[in-house]
Amino acid sequence: MALSLESGSGLSQQGSIDWVQLGNTTISTTVAVLSRLAAANIDPRTLVFGHALCSNFKLSRTGQRRMQDALSRLKWCSSLGDVLWFGFGFQHPIRVLAQTANGFSCLALCASLSEGFSDLQAAAMILTELVDIQGAPQELRPSPQQWHALIKCCSGAIAATPFGSVADHFMGLSGATEKAKSVGDPREIAKALRAIGSLSTGTLTSIHLTGNPMCGWLAAFGHYFFGLEIEIQHADGNLLFRTVSDLHPVNISVTYGDSGALGVRVASTSYIIDNVPGLIMPYKSPFFGGRIKWEEAIRATFGRVGNTLLDAKQSFGILVGSAARVFAAIAKADPQVNDFLFPKVLEWPNWRNKKPFHLLEKWVGYSSDSFGQGYIRFATTTLPELAEMKDRMTVSVQVTLLEALSNYKTASTTLASICPCDHCRVKNFPYEDDWEDETEVQCVPILAEAIIGMIWHLSLLDFHTDLLPTRRGLKSIWKVWERPPPVPGKDRDIGNIATLLQNLDITALCGIAESLFAGSGERRAATYFDTSPAFSSRGLCFIRSTLIDITDRPDQSKILQIIPGVIELRSGTQYQRVIDAPKTSFGYDAENYQDITDLTTHKNTASGSLKTELIVQETLEKLLISFRFSSSKGEIFLGPAELSDSILRSVGDVYCRQKHCEILAPPFPTVSSLDGEGAAYATDDRNAGRSIVIRQLAGNPLARCLATMIVRSRNSHGQSVALTSDGAILRLDECLSCCIKAARLSPHWPVYIIT
């Protein structure tokens, strides 16, 4: 897969580009390359202009190695049947760019811009201005939409590299708040980028940038990819950072502070990047920021409030450990949940009038990293700032549920006593007025809840730790737990575990994942998580694990996988969103209801020929997909997201210690069996009077997963149109006796136990 230009194509030799000769250049490539570019909405001319523009940029040896390493780590995977591909495949357009030195520089520039801006329109305008100041003829220039497509195509290529954290560090030295950050005039940024190119080729030896945090991003770009040495100082002369000692000269000098003017100074090597309100995006700042290292995520993001929380090791450690103990009780269906936890839950207004089993039905935290000791291991490994509290967490997770609830309340109250926010402040607390100017996050106990909840959601994600969270995403997590002030005259609700539990929900998982890793502030993903098994955002793919591998052991897998790249068909056509097709049907029924008395018999009654394939239907904006399960008895159509939810909601209802369990003794409750993976019904003449039905499908994961779907109704054509997992128990490691006990306590009827 290659794209080449004829000799003498007008590319820069001495810092200038012969646009006339470039316009007459012949492009040599294959139809396969053209089809991939068309799939990404990229005109080949845009790629040629990208090569030309970046002929003035020369990556350092370290920069080349960093780009090569980044590309070598980019992976891809496929759905069942290899119908859909996720990631950066070997035919992706960035592989074309990476085949030449100029293309490599173009990839570095576009990928870096995608890491710097929340709205790629702003980045596209910068490249548009860069073409303009290079003097390209108007009739040859790619449109801003084309530059937008190229930058979007490169998004995610360096998301799992340290560049984002380097940029965040340099920009953070400005001291600007999130609200004060802006991009600045795209033309001035383009001029500064051109100067950085001249530094990389040796045409210039040094430049000076003055103005807003965008100067830090430019310095990071120059340092990370071109090996340029940096000095950053404040307008008052205070030195903030230097990449080399004072004995060595620097290539880029940055001064943060009020420049007093807009535009470019008379001196050709000095540039001012100032905020220009409304110039690009009048309704919001398109500035994205950077990424935060996991080992400093709390302190670097939440400032003094984060420091206060981490310094309260005893209380915060107890709070985390107690929460992990509560998560374990819910995940294991501990009977004490009904006795001790639900009274606490029902105190929270949003949970009033809820039946006690509601929390268990919506719970999805069954991964070994999501509760108990596994949660603590995951928390301290993912966020090393918590490692010093591990002993306190470990002790706190080993208590009874009642003690954990009490300890959680006490620890939260203690954190409130050291919190300076208006609602937690106690009498005579030495309140510092400048605290509120430092960060939007003010409340220590609520920040603690937000971090505990964030860890829980992270524990359900499959991602590489090289993929760092965005600063913007980390701060947006706070908004999930932020609560309005209490009613005047009433105490603030601190330490009620319900305020934490109400936000631990599968419907929030995609939105939180997108916010954390893609920096999306809108959290739009949460609105369609129920029907979308995959979507892409800012160069990252978010994929339901069921789309890649259907497993009947949700306790041994993650719910969502995240990898850099795009969603595409074999043809290369890219889509941002994949949703469940509306067609859902069971083409045949389960058979042979019969009463059983021997509970020790285990057999597999699934269809021996059962297989599955992924069916895809293309539309203009999205892909409609469904699983087609087929056997000699007929076909079953289900959406991947729908099936994933059903599997998750079918576990966690059985309390079983897996040893010393009480064995059911005669007379047994009425238990029936049902053969096969076909449709079972919530209400049907054939199951009248049957309250507990065992579906013996051991050894066939596909059949066990299908059996979690229960038909509630059919249409006039006999097709199932309403499915539910209510009343399904997917047996994992629990003994059958405990499953039957759980079935007898279930509010649903009948209950199907899937063995």
Side-chain angles (χ1 to χ4, degrees):
M1 185 175 182
L3 182 149
S4 60
L5 309 178
E6 66 179 11
S7 179
S9 57
L11 299 187
S12 172
Q13 301 296 324
Q14 299 295 329
S16 61
I17 300 173
D18 188 337
W19 295 107
V20 175
Q21 189 173 359
L22 184 68
N24 294 322
T25 297
T26 299
I27 302 174
S28 176
T29 189
T30 65
V31 173
V33 170
L34 292 176
S35 66
R36 292 285 168 171
L37 293 176
N41 297 316
I42 298 174
D43 190 317
R45 176 187 54 170
T46 306
L47 223 58
V48 173
F49 264 71
H51 277 75
L53 280 178
C54 292
S55 62
N56 289 326
F57 292 87
K58 183 180 179 180
L59 296 175
S60 66
R61 290 184 178 179
T62 300
Q64 291 176 5
R65 188 185 70 251
R66 285 171 170 166
M67 283 301 301
Q68 289 167 351
D69 290 345
L71 289 178
S72 67
R73 290 199 300 267
L74 292 177
K75 306 300 181 183
W76 62 91
C77 62
S78 63
S79 66
L80 289 173
D82 297 337
V83 177
L84 293 177
W85 290 84
F86 310 100
F88 289 105
F90 66 93
Q91 291 185 321
H92 191 276
I94 67 168
R95 308 293 181 182
V96 179
L97 283 171
Q99 291 176 355
T100 65
N102 292 345
F104 227 21
S105 297
C106 181
L107 174 57
L109 174 59
C110 292
S112 298
L113 286 169
S114 73
E115 283 288 298
F117 300 89
S118 59
D119 193 304
L120 298 186
Q121 293 180 39
M125 290 303 300
I126 292 172
L127 292 188
T128 301
E129 294 292 346
L130 187 57
V131 171
D132 185 62
I133 62 177
Q134 293 274 30
Q138 189 71 38
E139 65 273 13
L140 292 179
R141 299 178 188 178
S143 66
Q145 290 82 0
Q146 273 295 298
W147 290 123
H148 183 279
L150 182 59
I151 296 170
K152 181 180 178 181
C153 178
C154 298
S155 294
I158 61 172
T161 71
F163 173 74
S165 63
V166 173
D168 183 83
H169 175 60
F170 284 11
M171 292 184 290
L173 294 171
S174 69
T177 63
E178 290 296 309
K179 293 180 179 180
K181 290 181 179 179
S182 183
V183 176
D185 189 338
R187 190 169 186 83
E188 307 309 322
I189 297 171
K191 290 178 180 179
L193 278 174
R194 186 184 186 186
I196 290 174
S198 297
L199 289 173
S200 71
T201 59
T203 307
L204 290 177
T205 57
S206 64
I207 63 172
H208 181 210
L209 303 176
T210 302
N212 66 22
M214 188 65 202
C215 296
W217 182 92
L218 290 164
F221 177 64
H223 176 68
Y224 191 82
F225 291 109
F226 306 108
L228 304 177
E229 303 299 347
I230 310 297
E231 177 184 85
I232 301 177
Q233 63 180 359
H234 195 267
D236 60 9
N238 181 35
L239 180 65
L240 302 174
F241 180 77
R242 224 174 188 270
T243 58
V244 291
S245 69
D246 294 341
L247 300 178
H248 294 81
V250 296
N251 305 111
I252 301 178
S253 176
V254 174
T255 300
Y256 285 130
D258 184 14
S259 63
L262 297 176
V264 182
R265 292 181 181 174
V266 176
S268 62
T269 58
S270 186
Y271 302 85
I272 300 173
I273 310 296
D274 265 350
N275 296 342
V276 185
L279 185 64
I280 303 173
M281 303 288 286
Y283 59 90
K284 65 177 181 180
S285 169
F287 202 64
F288 171 64
R291 297 183 182 271
I292 308 292
K293 295 178 181 179
W294 289 110
E295 52 265 35
E296 57 184 33
I298 299 174
R299 293 189 190 275
T301 305
F302 301 110
R304 201 179 305 181
V305 179
N307 290 333
T308 300
L309 177 61
L310 291 176
D311 290 342
K313 297 179 178 62
Q314 178 75 14
S315 297
F316 192 27
I318 292 174
L319 195 76
V320 175
S322 300
R325 174 63 180 89
V326 173
F327 299 160
I330 298 174
K332 297 297 184 181
D334 190 329
Q336 290 185 323
V337 169
N338 284 325
D339 298 331
F340 301 134
L341 180 57
F342 283 122
K344 299 289 184 183
V345 171
L346 296 175
E347 291 175 9
W348 183 249
N350 290 353
W351 286 85
R352 288 174 185 166
N353 302 320
K354 299 285 187 181
K355 296 181 179 179
F357 55 84
H358 180 78
L359 179 62
L360 293 179
E361 288 189 331
K362 82 182 191 72
W363 193 259
V364 294
Y366 301 114
S367 166
S368 59
D369 292 335
S370 303
F371 59 86
Q373 294 286 6
Y375 178 90
I376 293 173
R377 284 192 302 271
F378 179 82
T380 54
T381 301
T382 305
L383 297 177
E385 291 169 297
L386 304 181
E388 293 183 21
M389 311 173 198
K390 187 173 182 179
D391 291 343
R392 297 173 180 84
M393 298 178 191
T394 301
V395 172
S396 300
V397 82
Q398 295 173 344
V399 302
T400 66
L401 178 59
L402 184 59
E403 290 172 327
L405 292 170
S406 176
N407 292 343
Y408 187 91
K409 175 75 173 180
T410 301
S412 186
T413 303
T414 302
L415 291 176
S417 70
I418 61 172
C419 178
C421 79
D422 290 337
H423 305 300
C424 290
R425 218 178 346 153
V426 296
K427 189 176 182 179
N428 299 324
F429 186 86
Y431 182 68
E432 300 179 35
D433 291 333
D434 63 345
W435 189 306
E436 292 189 357
D437 296 331
E438 184 177 350
T439 173
E440 296 177 2
V441 180
Q442 298 297 317
C443 183
V444 174
I446 292 185
L447 176 60
E449 280 185 0
I451 292 171
I452 291 171
M454 179 186 72
I455 295 169
W456 185 86
H457 284 99
L458 284 172
S459 72
L460 302 176
L461 305 176
D462 184 358
F463 63 96
H464 197 286
T465 52
D466 285 345
L467 183 61
L468 304 178
T470 65
R471 177 181 293 274
R472 184 177 183 181
L474 284 168
K475 286 204 168 185
S476 73
I477 297 302
W478 158 259
K479 296 296 183 182
V480 178
W481 273 265
E482 187 179 27
R483 301 193 295 277
V487 177
K490 293 186 177 181
D491 294 335
R492 195 177 195 192
D493 187 33
I494 294 295
N496 186 347
I497 194 72
T499 62
L500 172 66
L501 297 176
Q502 68 170 345
N503 289 304
L504 305 184
D505 196 315
I506 191 172
T507 56
L509 182 62
C510 260
I512 288 176
E514 185 187 18
S515 294
L516 276 175
F517 295 106
S520 171
E522 290 76 15
R523 296 171 50 74
R524 59 177 174 81
T527 63
Y528 55 71
F529 183 73
D530 287 343
T531 61
S532 183
F535 70 96
S536 64
S537 176
R538 297 186 55 82
L540 297 176
C541 293
F542 301 82
I543 316 151
R544 290 260 199 156
S545 298
T546 306
L547 196 54
I548 298 172
D549 180 34
I550 301 176
T551 176
D552 61 343
R553 293 301 303 246
D555 56 322
Q556 298 175 4
S557 64
K558 304 288 187 173
I559 296 176
L560 199 68
Q561 296 188 28
I562 305 173
I563 61 171
V566 296
I567 303 171
E568 60 183 11
L569 297 171
R570 288 176 180 173
S571 63
T573 305
Q574 298 178 8
Y575 285 88
Q576 283 192 286
R577 186 181 173 194
V578 178
I579 67 171
D580 283 357
K583 181 180 180 180
T584 298
S585 66
F586 273 78
Y588 57 96
D589 294 343
E591 303 171 332
N592 196 22
Y593 275 105
Q594 58 182 328
D595 294 337
I596 58 174
T597 56
D598 184 4
L599 301 180
T600 62
T601 301
H602 302 283
K603 60 180 180 178
N604 179 12
T605 64
S607 302
S609 58
L610 183 64
K611 60 182 181 180
T612 184
E613 60 182 322
L614 190 65
I615 306 300
V616 175
Q617 178 185 348
E618 294 186 68
T619 68
L620 290 177
E621 297 181 350
K622 53 185 176 286
L623 283 176
L624 303 178
I625 65 173
S626 63
F627 286 134
R628 178 168 65 190
F629 299 88
S630 57
S631 72
S632 58
K633 298 179 180 179
E635 293 182 334
I636 298 172
F637 291 88
L638 291 174
E642 184 178 31
L643 180 61
S644 174
D645 283 347
S646 179
I647 295 169
L648 287 166
R649 298 186 191 281
S650 299
V651 298
D653 293 328
V654 180
Y655 175 68
C656 180
R657 293 172 293 184
Q658 299 175 17
K659 59 181 179 179
H660 308 304
C661 296
E662 181 181 347
I663 304 299
L664 286 177
F668 298 115
T670 302
V671 178
S672 305
S673 67
L674 184 62
D675 294 345
E677 71 283 345
Y681 297 86
T683 303
D684 187 73
D685 293 340
R686 291 172 296 176
N687 62 26
R690 304 179 190 274
S691 58
I692 301 175
V693 180
I694 296 178
R695 306 189 66 176
Q696 298 179 333
L697 303 169
N700 194 318
L702 287 181
R704 278 167 45 84
C705 292
L706 280 174
T708 63
M709 304 294 295
I710 300 172
V711 179
R712 287 192 297 185
S713 62
R714 287 180 177 271
N715 59 21
S716 58
H717 302 290
Q719 297 174 323
S720 53
V721 294
L723 301 174
T724 181
S725 58
D726 294 343
I729 294 179
L730 181 62
R731 182 185 176 193
L732 302 179
D733 298 320
E734 306 92 348
C735 69
L736 187 56
S737 295
C738 288
C739 290
I740 293 175
K741 291 177 185 176
R744 296 176 69 180
L745 297 174
S746 173
H748 304 293
W749 181 90
V751 175
Y752 293 93
I753 300 174
I754 305 157
T755 64

